[in-house]
């Protein structure tokens, strides 16, 4: 036989008279409630959660003691049930909400209570503000904060790095050589600098510059005084050189994630092992860029950056066991900076100025006024280097693929007729990509600049 609804098999039934209600009470705070009907008896299911006392036959004083849920029961003078009230005690977040609005105004952060903790939801404008909200919540509910927030705004960073290096060098030298050949009659034979050998003197007097000469310009004078041959050689050199190096790598990454970039190659370097074997390790060279961006607050970006430009330098090679190992010229910087969206920062700079001069002469003869210049040689060298590394950060968002263009979109391989009959090595492409490629772009390709 089926048991009627509301009845139990042992003859008991659940009393459902009255209207059930819910009452929220902040922890360590009191709430006064009033009953529509006079009551004669009050009871609370769990006194450790809430404490109650009657102020009159219609008024109840409820004090929240610890987080939790319990039941308040009201009975009339005849012992009949008036109502059951669900009393929910939770942490008091009123002050926390006020402090949150003062510290982070305008943030769309919602605050709720769950048992004895605090639940944060909504959207923060940056990861830094999200962390501030969590730190503030920990002050009110230590180790009982649930984070359901998300970070809004742009969280992708494009970094533009410009390496600019200028090298200038100047060198000048002036030297003189004097040679005398007295022939077999006098037996005098000698010279200075280039003309210190008889073969050089003989060639000079016949109108040829000696093989030992390495200067760009040389003037030769020679005459005979009887059997005495005199040769005078003036050698001069002036060299000027300018080298300009420029690299502009661009790289994008999500906030807090590391991005790496290498445009160059890897050079094999032999490495001797303890067992006598030789292994090969590859050393990268070229344009290197590693960075970790962090969007700390709206348009403020913190950059942990490492950038380098390197090249193989065969002039400083090393000979080891018959192997020739080239050196590397490398310009590198590693730093952490903070800037706003679109701003630039000069993170590294170098000005190097080297000067070297030499003077050589024959003892005593070089000190003779005027004529002493024939017995002296002088040269000087000066080298200047300027290096600047500038970084720019931009907050970026992806764009539609139709708006992107590549250098290969401008041309297509030629047909056989174009190649063999007309000598065309490429033909223009057609379509939307070609129309985009023909436009004149002033900004970076592939991203929408905020």
């Amino acid at each position: 036989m089926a048991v009627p609804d509301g009845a139990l098999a042992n003859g008991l039934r659940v009393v459902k008279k009255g209207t059930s209600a819910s009452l929220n009470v902040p922890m360590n705070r009191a709430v006064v409630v009033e009953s529509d009907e006079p009551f004669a008896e009050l009871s609370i299911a769990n006194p450790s959660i809430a404490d109650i006392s009657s102020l009159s036959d219609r008024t109840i004083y409820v004090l929240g003691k610890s987080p939790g849920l319990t039941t308040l029961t009201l009975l009339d003078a005849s012992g009949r049930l008036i109502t059951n009230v669900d009393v929910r005690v939770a942490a008091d977040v009123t002050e926390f909400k006020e402090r949150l609005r003062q510290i982070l105004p305008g943030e769309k952060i919602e605050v709720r209570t769950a048992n004895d903790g605090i639940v944060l939801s909504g959207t923060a404008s940056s990861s830094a503000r999200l962390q501030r909200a969590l730190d503030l919540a920990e002050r009110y509910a230590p180790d009982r904060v649930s984070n359901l927030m998300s970070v809004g705004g742009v969280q992708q960073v494009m970094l533009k790095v410009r390496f600019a290096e200028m090298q200038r060098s100047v060198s000048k030298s002036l030297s003189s050589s004097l040679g005398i050949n007295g022939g077999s009659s006098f037996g005098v034979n000698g010279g200075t600098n280039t003309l210190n050998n008889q073969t050089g003197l003989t060639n000079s007097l016949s109108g040829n510059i000696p093989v030992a000469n390495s200067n760009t310009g040389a003037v030769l004078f020679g005459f005979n005084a009887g059997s005495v041959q005199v040769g005078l050689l003036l050698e001069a050199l002036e060299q000027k050189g300018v080298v300009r190096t420029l690299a502009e790598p661009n790289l994008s990454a999500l906030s807090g994630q590391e991005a790496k970039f290498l445009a160059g190659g890897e050079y094999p370097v032999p490495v001797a092992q303890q067992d006598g074997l030789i292994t090969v390790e590859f050393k990268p060279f070229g344009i290197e860029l590693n960075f970790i961006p962090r969007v700390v607050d709206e348009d403020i970006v913190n950059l942990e950056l490492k950038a380098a430009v390197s090249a193989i330098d065969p002039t400083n090679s090393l000979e080891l066991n018959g192997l020739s190992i080239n050196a590397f010229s490398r310009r590198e910087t590693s730093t952490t900076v903070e800037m706003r969206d679109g701003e630039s920062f000069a993170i590294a700079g170098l000005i190097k100025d080297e000067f070297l001069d030499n003077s050589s002469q024959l003892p005593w003869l070089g000190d003779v006024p005027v004529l002493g210049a024939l017995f002296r040689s002088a040269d000087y060298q000066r080298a200047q280097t300027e290096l600047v590394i500038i970084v720019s950060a931009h907050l970026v968002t992806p764009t539609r693929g139709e708006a992107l263009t590549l250098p290969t979109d401008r041309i297509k391989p030629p047909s056989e007729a174009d190649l063999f009959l007309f000598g065309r090595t490429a033909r223009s492409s057609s379509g939307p990509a070609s129309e985009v490629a023909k436009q004149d772009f002033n900004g970076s390709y592939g991203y929408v600049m905020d």
Side-chain angles (χ1 to χ4, degrees):
M1 182 176 65
V3 179
D5 185 22
L8 299 177
N10 56 5
L12 300 177
R13 64 186 181 88
V14 178
V15 179
K16 293 186 177 182
K17 182 181 179 181
T19 302
S20 297
S22 179
L23 177 63
N24 294 323
V25 180
M27 188 172 58
N28 298 324
R29 300 282 294 275
V31 175
V32 178
V33 295
E34 189 176 46
S35 174
D36 294 336
E37 299 181 21
F39 57 84
E41 186 178 350
L42 296 174
S43 63
I44 189 74
N46 190 346
S48 62
I49 296 178
D51 192 10
I52 59 173
S53 61
S54 60
L55 302 178
S56 66
D57 59 352
R58 293 177 180 269
T59 308
I60 310 170
Y61 181 87
V62 182
L63 174 64
K65 299 175 65 178
S66 63
L69 180 65
T70 186
T71 303
L72 171 64
T73 303
L74 282 72
L75 303 175
D76 61 9
S78 61
R80 292 180 304 174
L81 176 66
I82 298 177
T83 186
N84 286 323
V85 179
D86 291 332
V87 179
R88 186 182 305 274
V89 179
D92 185 13
V93 294
T94 303
E95 183 183 358
F96 171 63
K97 290 181 178 180
E98 182 64 25
R99 294 291 180 267
L100 192 63
R101 284 193 296 268
Q102 294 174 356
I103 297 176
L104 301 174
E107 294 294 327
K108 299 179 180 179
I109 300 177
E110 300 178 0
V111 181
R112 295 182 177 88
T113 58
N115 198 6
D116 59 343
I118 296 177
V119 178
L120 299 180
S121 60
T123 303
S125 60
S126 66
S127 57
R129 297 199 170 193
L130 183 146
Q131 187 61 44
R132 292 175 193 171
L134 293 177
D135 294 341
L136 183 60
E138 285 289 337
R139 303 287 295 179
Y140 289 87
D143 300 326
R144 299 190 307 275
V145 179
S146 299
N147 178 22
L148 302 181
M149 294 184 293
S150 60
V151 180
V154 180
Q155 296 296 309
Q156 295 183 115
V157 180
M158 182 181 71
L159 191 66
K160 300 175 63 177
V161 181
R162 288 179 289 172
F163 294 83
E165 182 177 18
M166 181 68 73
Q167 297 178 353
R168 295 183 293 269
S169 61
V170 177
S171 63
K172 294 182 180 181
S173 64
L174 178 63
S175 61
S176 61
S177 301
L178 178 65
I180 299 176
N181 183 10
S184 58
S185 301
F186 294 93
V188 177
N189 189 355
T192 62
N193 291 343
T194 306
L195 297 183
N196 62 357
N197 56 14
Q198 192 60 35
T199 303
L201 176 59
T202 303
N203 292 337
S204 66
L205 295 179
S206 62
N208 297 323
I209 301 299
V211 179
N213 173 70
S214 61
N215 291 283
T216 304
V219 179
L220 176 65
F221 300 95
F223 61 92
N224 297 334
S227 61
V228 178
Q229 296 177 337
V230 179
L232 178 62
L233 179 64
L234 298 179
E235 299 174 285
L237 170 66
E238 181 177 2
Q239 291 181 339
K240 296 181 180 179
V242 176
V243 178
R244 177 177 180 266
T245 304
L246 183 64
E248 296 189 20
N250 296 346
L251 190 60
S252 300
L254 186 66
S255 176
Q257 301 297 318
E258 183 180 11
K260 297 182 179 181
F261 177 90
L262 172 63
E266 292 187 339
Y267 180 78
V269 178
V271 179
Q273 304 297 326
Q274 294 181 353
D275 54 2
L277 298 177
I278 296 179
T279 60
V280 177
E281 293 184 0
F282 289 88
K283 180 179 179 61
F285 68 93
I287 304 171
E288 302 175 61
L289 175 62
N290 299 345
F291 79 103
I292 302 177
R294 295 181 179 88
V295 182
V296 296
D297 191 3
E298 293 183 354
D299 62 343
I300 299 179
V301 181
N302 179 283
L303 290 176
E304 184 178 342
L305 172 70
K306 181 178 181 181
V309 173
S310 58
I312 298 176
D313 185 10
T315 59
N316 295 321
S317 61
L318 172 66
E319 296 290 338
L320 181 62
N321 296 331
L323 298 176
S324 178
I325 305 174
N326 291 325
F328 287 83
S329 62
R330 185 177 180 88
R331 280 78 68 194
E332 179 180 349
T333 180
S334 178
T335 184
T336 301
V337 295
E338 189 172 276
M339 64 186 69
R340 293 187 179 273
D341 177 28
E343 292 183 342
S344 299
F345 216 118
I347 63 171
L350 171 65
I351 297 179
K352 184 172 66 174
D353 192 350
E354 297 179 350
F355 180 81
L356 175 65
D357 60 348
N358 293 305
S359 179
S360 58
Q361 65 179 26
L362 287 176
W364 304 297
L365 295 179
D367 297 329
V368 177
V370 183
L371 293 179
L374 300 177
F375 303 93
R376 285 197 303 264
S377 296
D379 67 272
Y380 82 89
Q381 298 177 356
R382 186 172 187 179
Q384 294 177 321
T385 300
E386 296 181 22
L387 172 64
V388 176
I389 301 178
I390 301 175
V391 297
S392 302
H394 298 275
L395 297 176
V396 295
T397 55
T399 184
R400 296 182 60 87
E402 294 82 4
L404 302 179
T405 183
L406 297 174
T408 54
D409 292 336
R410 301 177 184 271
I411 58 174
K412 285 187 176 181
S415 62
E416 294 183 358
D418 290 336
L419 179 61
F420 294 108
L421 295 181
F422 303 102
R424 298 171 182 169
T425 57
R427 59 189 176 93
S428 300
S429 60
S430 60
S434 176
E435 296 300 324
V436 174
K438 293 178 182 178
Q439 300 177 15
D440 183 14
F441 292 96
N442 294 323
S444 300
Y445 292 5
Y447 293 92
V448 177
M449 313 296 288
D450 288 344

